[in-house]
Amino acid sequence: MTALAGGIPRMMRPNPHQNYPRGGYSLEVSTPLGQGRVNQLGGMFINGRPLPNHIRHKIVEMAHHGIRPCVISRQLRVSHGCVSKILCRYQETGSIRPGSIGGSKPKVRALEPDCIAAMSLSMSSISRIMRCKFGGVGGEDEEDDDEIQKRELEENERRAKHSIDGILGDRCE
DNA sequence: CGCGTTACGGTTGAT
DNA sequence: GGATCAACCGTAACG
């Protein structure tokens, strides 16, 4: 992790050429949310936020159809790095969902070694946890999908409200 | 040319 | 209520 220690790590960009043109370039797109950006492929994305669920779904669906990642990337206008990541995650966990963003750890109280040793989980507990975590690595994303959509809708509403609020507060002309 | 990897700037949400 | 912090996000670029 001491990447910055001695000299430039090979992956370091010599020139921060990647900085997003904050103002000047017409990179910002007109979206109700006002945070849309366009990548090099011409696709829209929101910096720091997961791709929309339907895009993710499309990625895995196309991959399932045997379409190559590079084609998916171009078709959906999503960076190949992202396609790779999502596909990789899908193969690993069987879920198309992004990881949970934000939040602090459940704050596991500083357990002393003895306590940890004494805290032997029962097999049923473990399997329950595993099931909960991996939700059965079969073809399951359908069920999740519904929930996701519902949640997405809610979030959308909430976000829109927030956005309007912000606009009203900001514009207030 | 395709794709795995990773620095970067960003957002989120629990503490 | 705000500040802090660690997690994840997607893009862009390297290899």
Side-chain angles (χ1 to χ4, degrees):
Chain A
M1 293 344 181
T2 52
L4 292 171
I8 303 179
R10 51 199 167 89
M11 266 311 169
M12 262 302 209
R13 237 144 301 326
N15 277 1
H17 222 247
Q18 168 223 30
N19 53 4
Y20 304 97
R22 261 193 226 174
Y25 231 86
S26 51
L27 206 65
E28 272 135 54
V29 227
S30 36
T31 53
L33 308 173
Q35 318 199 70
R37 293 217 196 345
V38 182
N39 60 21
Q40 289 183 338
L41 292 164
M44 286 219 278
F45 73 102
I46 300 172
N47 199 7
R49 309 258 44 226
L51 241 44
N53 179 251
H54 63 273
I55 298 287
R56 308 177 82 89
H57 202 285
K58 205 143 193 179
I59 288 171
V60 296
E61 201 168 63
M62 287 171 80
H64 205 260
H65 257 248
I67 301 172
R68 297 186 186 256
C70 61
V71 179
I72 297 172
S73 170
R74 297 188 164 182
Q75 197 86 35
L76 299 178
R77 297 175 198 276
V78 173
S79 64
H80 91 264
C82 183
V83 173
S84 177
K85 197 190 225 169
I86 289 172
L87 252 36
C88 198
R89 186 190 291 273
Y90 179 66
Q91 283 188 37
E92 268 185 52
T93 69
S95 172
I96 68 168
R97 288 183 290 174
S100 47
I101 306 172
S104 302
K105 276 195 273 189
K107 187 86 184 249
V108 179
R109 294 176 196 261
L111 287 168
E112 281 152 62
D114 279 350
C115 276
I116 295 169
M119 190 181 62
S120 52
L121 287 167
S122 67
M123 247 342 192
S124 59
S125 293
I126 291 171
S127 61
R128 180 156 45 83
I129 291 165
M130 295 288 272
R131 236 194 337 248
C132 194
K133 182 122 186 148
F134 298 107
V137 190
E140 76 308 290
D141 57 282
E142 295 292 323
E143 210 175 56
D144 287 341
D145 215 36
D146 198 47
E147 224 174 279
I148 290 166
Q149 280 194 0
K150 228 162 54 175
R151 198 166 66 125
E152 211 174 47
L153 225 109
E154 260 180 58
E155 245 177 57
N156 227 352
E157 244 179 80
R158 183 170 265 175
R159 198 177 296 288
K161 226 173 172 182
H162 215 88
S163 196
I164 290 165
D165 215 51
I167 290 166
L168 285 173
D170 196 49
R171 305 288 296 186
C172 200
E173 291 180 320

